[in-house]
Amino acid sequence: MLDPDWVRAHHAEFDVFHLHFGFDAQTSQQLSLLVQALRRYRKPLVYTVHDLRNPHQTDPASHDAALDVLVPAADRLITLTPGAAAEIERRWNCAAAVLPHPHVVERHRLSQSRPHSDRFRVGVHAKSLRPNMSLLPVVRVLTEAVADLPDAELQVNIHCEVGEPGTHAYAPEVLKQLSEFADSQLLRLHVHDYFGDDQLWDYLTGLHLSVLPYAFGTHSGWLEACHDLGTTVAAPSCGFYAEQRPCLSYGHTMHDGLDASSLRTAVQEAYRTRPHWRATVAERAAERARVAAAHREIYRQLSG
């Protein structure tokens, strides 16, 4: 769908072209050709700016170049937080509508009870070591913070491919360090394949605090899932996570590095107050209806 030839072949089948993700492999020149094809067939472009900094790319240059094409070309822009909208206004002098991200957990799970636990469990899910993760510095601080709390434990999850030579995520030194922490009883390490949805929701509901070890980024679907399930999140100060949903914050950016003290404070606050930030079924249903209505109106205005 990002190929001008696809637009040429299918332009009679759609009214609005709405882009969210999926253009990581396109060059800015290729995206310019896409925009030209949409203009040729008078198809309006809507772009939801989820990422002002791509979490999958260490070097921001290619994503910045893509944004320099897409943002000014869009007939309507949407983003998730006021901070992101302000950044879009500052960088491109373009206005973006702010609409919340709808729920990501299925409705039937939104109202399920959380399991009881006598232990306070802090979790870090390293996944496949996405480039925006600064994992080991965060884990080192957490081992110290959790050790000071009675009946608390640290759980680190990571995908099997981190230990498999030839995979893009292969990082044996990271896995070795985590294993040493586990051998020293500083954390529980779970190495596993990708979770399915139900496995992921079960994992999240088993945590009291989920720590996002990001050094750069913008918004988070993980944060949305935690809000659906009632799991408190400690999010870094980079990006606009704190504007997205209620969460605890700690200092962590590419420029300034990790503020260990603020991370320890976030863990202590979660342990002491046990925040209960969870969406209700009614709230998420009403929110989703508002988001749908806003999209419908945008589409109506552009295609009417």
Side-chain angles (χ1 to χ4, degrees):
M1 293 175 70
L2 299 178
D3 190 325
D5 288 339
W6 185 92
V7 175
R8 190 175 304 114
H10 297 278
H11 67 273
E13 301 169 18
F14 67 93
D15 300 301
V16 175
F17 192 96
H18 191 162
L19 181 62
H20 289 260
F21 298 110
F23 54 88
D24 295 28
Q26 294 350 87
T27 65
S28 57
Q29 292 80 7
Q30 289 171 316
L31 292 173
S32 293
L33 293 175
L34 170 67
V35 169
Q36 291 172 26
L38 293 171
R39 293 288 173 266
R40 185 178 307 118
Y41 295 102
R42 299 182 180 179
K43 297 299 177 181
L45 170 63
V46 177
Y47 175 38
T48 295
V49 188
H50 292 270
D51 295 320
L52 286 165
R53 177 72 190 270
N54 192 319
H56 301 283
Q57 298 172 346
T58 303
D59 185 347
S62 62
H63 191 68
D64 286 345
L67 294 178
D68 284 341
V69 172
L70 294 171
V71 172
D75 296 282
R76 291 289 191 280
L77 292 167
I78 298 169
T79 193
L80 305 181
T81 57
E87 181 72 3
I88 291 166
E89 178 73 27
R90 184 188 68 80
R91 289 174 63 177
W92 295 282
N93 195 30
C94 294
V98 177
L99 297 175
H101 196 297
H103 63 91
V104 297
V105 174
E106 299 86 347
R107 286 194 185 186
H108 74 274
R109 291 210 58 152
L110 291 176
S111 58
Q112 285 188 3
S113 299
R114 291 176 56 85
H116 172 76
S117 174
D118 294 327
R119 304 279 288 172
F120 180 81
R121 183 171 297 144
V122 178
V124 180
H125 200 312
K127 307 179 188 177
S128 296
L129 295 178
R130 201 165 59 181
N132 72 330
M133 290 188 178
S134 180
L135 178 66
L136 290 179
V138 168
V139 169
R140 288 190 186 100
V141 173
L142 290 176
T143 60
E144 299 168 359
V146 171
D148 291 336
L149 302 175
D151 298 319
E153 63 183 8
L154 174 61
Q155 177 176 331
V156 175
N157 285 52
I158 197 165
H159 290 156
C160 293
E161 60 187 347
V162 173
E164 296 172 353
T167 65
H168 74 284
Y170 184 52
E173 289 305 312
V174 172
L175 200 55
K176 179 176 180 289
Q177 180 65 75
L178 292 176
S179 298
E180 290 176 357
F181 284 144
D183 291 342
S184 300
Q185 306 298 309
L186 295 173
L187 57 81
R188 294 173 56 211
L189 178 62
H190 186 195
V191 182
H192 58 86
D193 289 322
Y194 286 69
F195 283 152
D197 282 354
D198 285 335
Q199 291 174 305
L200 180 56
W201 309 151
D202 288 343
Y203 158 77
L204 287 176
T205 55
L207 301 178
H208 294 89
L209 178 67
S210 180
V211 179
L212 307 184
Y214 308 154
F216 60 86
T218 312
H219 301 117
S220 170
W222 192 272
L223 176 57
E224 294 291 343
C226 288
H227 186 58
D228 287 338
L229 297 168
T231 299
T232 301
V233 170
S237 55
C238 61
F240 303 100
Y241 306 110
E243 294 185 12
Q244 191 177 342
R245 296 294 172 189
C247 61
L248 300 171
S249 295
Y250 71 96
H252 198 185
T253 68
M254 283 288 289
H255 181 266
D256 298 322
L258 172 63
D259 178 1
S261 176
S262 65
L263 179 54
R264 283 192 289 267
T265 298
V267 174
Q268 292 163 358
E269 178 71 8
Y271 180 84
R272 182 178 64 84
T273 64
R274 310 292 169 107
H276 186 70
W277 297 315
R278 185 177 188 179
T280 67
V281 175
E283 288 168 346
R284 280 303 213 182
E287 181 181 71
R288 185 170 182 139
R290 291 195 302 272
V291 170
H295 281 77
R296 186 182 300 111
E297 180 60 18
I298 290 170
Y299 297 158
R300 186 194 64 78
Q301 292 173 2
L302 291 176
S303 60

